[in-house]
Amino acid sequence: MAWAPEARTAAVRGADGTTLEVLRALGSGPRGLVEEEAEERLVRHGENTFPGRRPDSWPRRFARSPRDPFTVVLLVLGLVSAAVAAWGTACVIAVLVLVSCVLRTTGEHRADRSAAALRGLLATTATVRRRATAASPPLTRELPVDQLVPGDVVLLAPGDVVPADLRLLRTTALTVHEATLTGESAPVGKSVAADGPGDGGSPALPLGHPHLCFQGSSVVSGSGSGVVVATGPDTVLSGALPRADGRPRPPSPFDRSVNGIAWTLIRFTLLTAPLVLIASALLRGRGLETLPFAVAVAVGLTPEMLPVVVTAALARGAALLARGGEVIVRRLPALHDLGAVDVLCVDKTGTLTEDRPVLAFCEGPDGRADPEVLRWAAVNALWTLHLSELPVPDALDEAILDAAEEAAEEGGPDSGRFEEFEGIDALPCGPGRRLSTAVVRPPGDPRFALAARHTLVVKGAPEDVLDRCARAAGAELGAAGRERLGRRAGELAAEGLRVLAVARATCPARSRPYTPGDERDLDFVGFVALSDAPAPTAAEALAVLARHGVAVKVLTGDHPGTAARVCRELGLAPGGVVTGERIDALDDAELARLAARTTVFARCAPEHKARVVRALRAAGHTTGFLGDGVNDLAATVAADVGICPRDGVDVVREAADVVLASKDLTALDRAIVAGRRSTGNIAAYLRIALSSNVGNVIAMLVAGLLLPFLPMLPAQVLVQNLCFDAAQLALAFDRPGPGAHLRPALLRPRALLRFVTGFGLLNAVADLATFGVLALALRSMGEAEGQSAFHAGWFTENLLTQALVMLLLRSGRHAAEGRVPGPIRLATAALAVVGLLLPLSPLGPPLSMTPLPPLYYGLLALVLVVYGLLLAAARARQPSPSGV
């Protein structure tokens, strides 16, 4: 039978229709495919291999790496520095460009390693049932996984890795580990679907269907067989990988910020050098002899130390985080992006909760709290675990026993009596069976007397248990009573609780085994409600993140009620919960508007999580995503910052930008604060360096128009820049103000330009005032001596004002009021010493600088005091630049 596209779509989802309908759509049956038909399908559908592209070679990647404007600026600066024979600067810039290109190439190579790691999750061979001809009997044989085709019948045994997406045909106590896909540590029971659609799963969330097994999961216990419904790129595991849709991934916040700043510098540089040349030619009649000066001015405008300061600030923050072993930053710019995060998307299990259930409460038939319910539930759990050969202990039973033991330690009524029963027999849960029964002998009952009695304690799904109950609280339980109790169980489930019903019955003791037929005519005892255990630090961490301006959004595959309840318990208002089905019905613009006001997204498949993250980014939010399963991979890559715990799936950890020692939001908050502080230091460097440079350039242009000589020689400009650069490196070790981490920090080029323009003009005013002071102090000197003194005076003033600016503008609104860190104190002191002593030293004459008269120093002190007061006043009126 041909496989129609519409049938193939339904088969890939694997959830629609009965088993017979799926087999017919696949043109297969329980005996497997004929070899000839399998070969035709292999040609038609391709090999069952993980999708991927041929990676580019390392040289080709490296050749493409210098494509951002900041790297271009560095290259141009290197060429300019070489042109003016500043070979030291040219070599430093060459090293910076090389490091930048290597880091970019390494990041792309790491992404290819992630895809290779995902391919490593696949099995190599599979046990398949096929026929040589249509009339031949089926034969079972091992087949390479890449030869599987839709319609093949695959046999599963303990330890097998599921080789493709399967619709189960037969199961025997089959449990599967799906941590590769979901990150959930508990094995999942699998069973054959009922003979009809609708098994409680969701077509939008295939992982919710118990009758489907997915490529990459592994069999823990039991056995089964299934028909292949999807291979290669159509599997859920392949769908978890981010798909290339023809559009490049949007740049990260760090890339956008650096690119914006780089283009701003390009515009200034391209404008400044021609202005110097034109003004000198028109007003002073100078020609190309001013070219070295114009080039030196252009070089002086650009903050050459930006890559070094950025790397030092981010590396210092990353080192401090790694020192405690809690956070590893795998990509340095990700630390800046962490500081800019204003929306954090997290999964529920393991992040907000501990991936284990805990008892919420127990209630009797009348809806009131009743400790007897916990007692009987603990009796059932204890002997079911002891007498049944379960592959793994049931997490719900362990939670009930923990609660009963805790109640016993607290001395509650009847709290310690559940262990006094003697176990006789047990009927555990299993495929298609949603209840368990423990047969026990009550304490004190005779063992062999004719009057000996046994008690059957039944626990399980409310509807299954209630169907077997005849009484409740000593009264007959008719259809109306069962309907009332069923509604109550539904209400508790809608609140996000796992609900178990408990019932019991007494019968004469017997030696023959008990069977499910004995589970009848029961007395209803009550309901046990369990919830996910909140992570110990989750509530505190959510409150701290909220104070730091980070909105947390929960993206989970769980039931909407479960997710909403956990959020309420942790103090996070869930609001209206959006499900995967609703996400499918929205376009990108509608989803962006909805995501901005929604806190909880439930029943989410991997593509839903990735769409929500992309929608938040499109709406202008800097988004982080914390996940640990392959189902989180697409969203991890789509986020501005991908975060994974150390025990997450290898492929997700490889793709993540930040790795946590555990899924602890407290450690993540510390990383966000460290990112904001590093960004604050980078912003402080940019504010100081660019405002000083802009002020100097304006003053140089004015002086070039007013003076008959160059206001500063090219060698003096370069020495001054070297002093500035060396001192400004200390800003990487600054301590931002106390409020610098309270809101997202992002380098914003427009805000930076406004700041630089204002303070650059103020710096230019101080320079022009210095020109007046120099004219007054040097009026008695000759022409040659006056020029050298002018150069020395302006050189000294530039270094002193730079030291003053570093102290007053270093970080935060009231940074000058706090204690200045040691590196900045040393750097500013060194600037002042060099500025005052260099003209007086033996190096002064080679740089065309001579000693200055004492009058100049007195007048300069007055200029510096006034300038400092104006700078402090303007800084106090300036908005806090944490967003610069």
Side-chain angles (χ1 to χ4, degrees), residues 527-552:
F527 292 120
V528 175
L530 300 105
S531 62
D532 291 334
T537 61
E540 178 187 357
L542 289 175
V544 173
L545 287 169
R547 289 198 299 271
H548 290 171
V550 179
V552 175

Side-chain angles (χ1 to χ4, degrees), residues 20 226 264 355 360 373 379 425 488 656 658 668 673 714 819 850:
L20 181 59
T264 301
D355 196 16
V373 181
V379 170
D425 198 0
R488 176 56 180 164
V658 177
L668 183 57
V673 170
R819 184 173 175 269
T850 60

Side-chain angles (χ1 to χ4, degrees), residues 56-80:
D56 291 331
S57 64
W58 180 276
R60 184 173 180 180
R61 278 205 197 99
F62 186 81
R64 288 203 323 264
S65 57
R67 57 184 181 267
D68 62 277
F70 186 71
T71 306
V72 173
V73 169
L74 286 178
L75 287 172
V76 172
L77 283 176
L79 295 175
V80 169

Side-chain angles (χ1 to χ4, degrees), residues 487-501:
R487 285 197 305 270
R488 176 56 180 164
E491 292 171 358
L492 295 176
E495 294 177 4
L497 296 168
R498 299 184 185 183
V499 184
L500 300 174

Side-chain angles (χ1 to χ4, degrees), residues 18-32:
T18 65
T19 302
L20 181 59
E21 290 171 344
V22 172
L23 287 172
R24 285 177 176 172
L26 293 169
S28 183
R31 298 195 304 158

Side-chain angles (χ1 to χ4, degrees), residues 12-399:
V12 169
R13 286 294 186 185
D16 295 342
T18 65
T19 302
L20 181 59
E21 290 171 344
V22 172
L23 287 172
R24 285 177 176 172
L26 293 169
S28 183
R31 298 195 304 158
L33 294 174
V34 177
E35 290 287 354
E36 183 179 356
E37 172 66 17
E39 292 175 1
E40 292 177 0
R41 294 189 182 193
L42 184 62
V43 173
R44 188 161 65 246
H45 301 295
E47 293 186 348
N48 180 35
T49 56
F50 196 80
R53 57 179 177 82
R54 183 182 299 276
D56 291 331
S57 64
W58 180 276
R60 184 173 180 180
R61 278 205 197 99
F62 186 81
R64 288 203 323 264
S65 57
R67 57 184 181 267
D68 62 277
F70 186 71
T71 306
V72 173
V73 169
L74 286 178
L75 287 172
V76 172
L77 283 176
L79 295 175
V80 169
S81 299
V84 297
W87 300 111
T89 303
C91 291
V92 171
I93 291 176
V95 171
L96 294 176
V97 171
L98 179 64
V99 170
S100 174
C101 294
V102 168
L103 290 177
R104 183 186 295 275
T105 305
T106 302
E108 293 177 355
H109 180 64
R110 191 180 72 214
D112 283 337
R113 285 209 319 268
S114 298
L118 196 55
R119 294 185 188 96
L121 297 173
L122 306 184
T124 56
T125 62
T127 306
V128 180
R129 184 182 295 157
R130 282 187 180 176
R131 295 171 290 159
T133 64
S136 301
L139 298 176
T140 300
R141 64 190 182 93
E142 290 292 314
L143 194 71
V145 165
D146 58 10
Q147 301 300 302
L148 286 181
V149 296
D152 266 327
V153 174
V154 176
L155 307 184
L156 300 175
D160 286 349
V161 176
V162 179
D165 287 357
L166 308 177
R167 170 75 176 245
L168 292 173
L169 303 176
R170 177 193 60 79
T171 61
T172 302
L174 181 64
T175 60
V176 175
H177 204 285
E178 294 183 341
T180 298
L181 292 162
T182 66
E184 303 286 347
S185 59
V188 179
K190 296 292 182 178
S191 60
V192 178
D195 192 18
D199 64 336
S202 164
L205 190 66
L207 294 175
H209 293 280
H211 60 277
L212 300 179
C213 279
F214 302 97
Q215 184 184 51
S217 55
S218 57
V219 178
V220 176
S221 63
S223 62
S225 65
V227 61
V228 175
V229 295
T231 60
D234 296 323
T235 63
V236 171
L237 182 64
S238 299
L241 185 72
R243 296 297 182 92
D245 55 4
R247 296 174 297 178
R249 181 185 178 188
S252 70
F254 181 82
D255 293 333
R256 291 195 300 269
S257 300
V258 171
N259 290 350
I261 293 168
W263 282 115
T264 301
L265 296 179
I266 289 173
R267 295 185 186 100
F268 268 106
T269 303
L270 293 178
L271 180 65
T272 301
L275 278 178
V276 173
L277 290 173
I278 293 172
S280 297
L282 292 179
L283 298 178
R284 293 296 174 183
R286 304 188 187 109
L288 292 179
E289 66 269 18
T290 60
L291 179 59
F293 174 70
V295 170
V297 171
V299 172
L301 179 64
T302 306
E304 302 95 329
M305 295 299 289
L306 178 58
V308 179
V309 172
V310 168
T311 302
L314 296 179
R316 181 170 180 265
L320 291 175
L321 291 172
R323 188 175 300 168
E326 295 181 341
V327 180
I328 303 298
V329 180
R330 303 184 71 242
R331 182 177 62 88
L332 278 184
L335 188 59
H336 163 272
D337 297 343
L338 265 180
V341 163
D342 60 348
V343 174
L344 176 65
C345 299
V346 301
D347 192 11
K348 176 186 69 66
T349 305
T351 304
L352 303 181
T353 63
E354 288 191 320
D355 196 16
R356 66 179 180 87
V358 293
L359 181 71
F361 58 85
C362 297
E363 66 177 37
D366 56 359
R368 297 179 181 178
D370 187 354
E372 277 287 299
V373 181
L374 176 59
R375 175 198 178 201
W376 288 111
V379 170
N380 172 281
L382 176 66
W383 290 110
T384 299
L385 290 174
H386 281 190
L387 299 178
S388 301
E389 295 182 359
L390 299 176
V392 291
D394 185 86
L396 300 181
D397 285 343
E398 291 187 326

